[in-house]
Amino acid sequence: MDHPPIGIDLGTTNSLIAVFEDGAPRLLANALGNPLTPSAVSMDNDKVLVGEAARDRLPTHPRETAAAFKRSMGTNKTLGLGRKKLRAEELSALVLRKLKEDAEAALGQSIRDVVVSVPAYFNQSQRQATMSACAMAGLNPVRLVNEPTAAALAYGLQDRDGESQFLVFDLGGGTFDVTVLEHFDGVMEVKASSGDAFLGGEDFSEALAKGIADKCDTPWSKLNTDDQNQLRFVADGLKRRLGVSDSHDVTIRLGGETHNLTITRTFFETACAPLVKRLLHPIERCFYDSNESTETLDRVVFVGGATRMPMIRQMVARQFKMLPDMSIDPDHAVALGAAVQAALVAEDRALDDVVMTEVSPFSVGIATGSQLRDGAVMEGFFSPIIERNTPLPASREQYFSTMSDNQVLLGVDVYQGEAPMVSDNIHLGRFDLSVPRAKAGVEGMSVRITYDPSGLIDVEAVSSSTGRKAGVVIKDNVVGLSDAEIKSKLKALQKFKMHPREDEENTALLARIKRLYEMASGADRTMVQGLLVEFEGVLAKQDPTDIATARGEITEVLNRIDDYYVS
Ligand code: ADP
Ligand code: MG
């Protein structure tokens, strides 16, 4: 028998999987014993590596490795994985498959039904792509849950009888999400959600990397890809270090030159000041949409690894005059909440008194024409039918009439977005409805849009005179894959050989040694090479006890070196 539904946080940077058992959510660790699996995939000869080893191969094997592909979800973009080119759904499917396998090993039971979290502002194509990724991994997504909602569920469960208004502030690797919620006697209501799809912790690393490049008098744009990748890696480590200390020394090799630098927290914060400022816009919009004020806010909940930066804490303290709540590890909250949502779907008795309401993150409507003052008709205006931040499920109807004499076809072009002209919004789908010939304005149709809590949309148009119906479930849009394509991709992906689980610790260690070799210089480099020779030697003898001992010893040395080069 399959395990009951299980929760997955499919992150840009890290992914996690959690179960709901005995009234509480619990994270499942991967084969390396870590609940966080980096969302990275790498091709090692004919085998696929997913997670830590893949992430460590990013600087050493950039062409064989893909990461941050969540940013390309819902587009036709492909990323290189050695000689292969894969879409974001396929790469995500490989991550999901790994999570599935690790979780199955931990549970001793197979998994099929899952609830997967997505950013609140993910549009239809991106949601559909996430569902396709699940299908390609052999999983059945019973529901998508918005990430901030999931985090709120994890927090809400802690304090079930309370009454509070809170803000979920989620700063992940590539995205920023803010949500205002109200919690009252187990009923959780999302008031409004907003965000920035192109602002996350990686941008802070990149800003620092660029600042360091300038400091070394070698502008970022002049660096080759390898140097840029390496500098990003160093900056990422520094970013973490500077959260706990005021300054840190680093050694960087750029264009063959070695630089010894001291980077201070102030230097980092100055480089990131414009990014911190950008965080304010979505917050303002969210409060505007929710009709709430910052004064009635009871708490600000921190989610996402990047909220660990002190400058974020300071900004929030200044803005809301309170300290953020991090009582649940910001890395874990979304996955834990996805597991709670999974239990809600499965109607777990422990959650009888918990109710969750969602809102639509976008407005959804259709394209219409408008008569201009001189009588001419101009097309391409957006007529929203469901406004953004409407509680879900929602179903709304609006009437539209013909615009010209003898018009026998009414086109229904569905869009999502907030711009007044549809050309600036996202096209979701199209269909036509035929109506009897008549004078302009006589015939018409009612268009009903139904929006379910997973964010999936159904559109139906009915002719007012004949009752004839037409409609679409927004599913097969321009960039999405058809069911047949998903099936064929599922097959193709099954042919990808995964690295054996029992080998994973060794592979991850080898990847780490090679990354450090690349980063280090001089005597350290020689030492790292020595470790590589030593480890390959032990591996060749195939004695599990010796291998484990060597792994422990080598890891200790690597930690010391990593400490110096920051990672
Ligand atoms: P996502 O939801 O996008 O997968 P996460 O919530 O896992 O992202 O956050 C990843 C981001 O958090 C990365 O940019 C990472 O560098 C950053 N991060 C993790 N730990 C820290 C830390 N201690 N200090 C600063 N940034 C951190
Ligand atoms: Mg996240």
Side-chain angles (χ1 to χ4, degrees), residues 119 347 360 398 458 484 502 530:
E347 298 183 345
S360 72
Q398 217 165 302
D458 192 61
E502 59 275 15

Coordinates of all heavy atoms in Angstrom, one line a residue, residues 119 347 360 398 458 484 502 530:
P119 N 5.6 28.9 -5.3 CA 5.5 30.3 -4.9 C 4.1 30.8 -5.2 O 3.5 30.4 -6.2 CB 6.5 31.0 -5.8 CG 7.5 30.0 -6.2 CD 6.7 28.7 -6.3
E347 N -7.7 14.2 5.0 CA -8.6 14.3 6.0 C -8.2 13.6 7.3 O -8.9 12.8 7.9 CB -10.0 13.9 5.6 CG -10.5 14.7 4.5 CD -11.9 14.3 4.0 OE1 -12.4 13.3 4.4 OE2 -12.5 15.2 3.3
S360 N -6.5 34.0 -4.8 CA -5.8 34.0 -6.1 C -4.7 35.0 -6.1 O -4.9 36.2 -5.8 CB -6.9 34.3 -7.2 OG -7.1 35.7 -7.1
Q398 N -19.3 37.0 -15.8 CA -19.5 38.3 -16.4 C -20.1 38.2 -17.8 O -19.8 37.3 -18.5 CB -18.1 39.1 -16.4 CG -18.3 40.5 -16.1 CD -16.9 41.1 -15.8 OE1 -16.2 40.6 -14.9 NE2 -16.5 42.1 -16.5
D458 N -10.6 27.1 -14.6 CA -11.6 26.5 -15.6 C -12.4 27.7 -16.2 O -12.9 28.5 -15.4 CB -12.5 25.6 -14.7 CG -13.4 24.7 -15.5 OD1 -12.8 23.9 -16.2 OD2 -14.6 24.9 -15.4
A484 N 0.6 13.3 -23.5 CA 1.4 12.3 -24.3 C 2.9 12.7 -24.2 O 3.7 11.8 -24.0 CB 1.0 12.3 -25.8
E502 N 23.8 3.8 -2.1 CA 24.9 3.4 -1.2 C 26.2 4.1 -1.4 O 27.1 4.1 -0.6 CB 25.0 1.9 -1.1 CG 25.4 1.2 -2.4 CD 24.2 0.9 -3.3 OE1 23.1 1.5 -3.0 OE2 24.3 0.1 -4.3
G530 N 46.4 15.3 -2.5 CA 46.9 14.2 -1.7 C 45.7 13.4 -1.2 O 45.6 12.2 -1.2

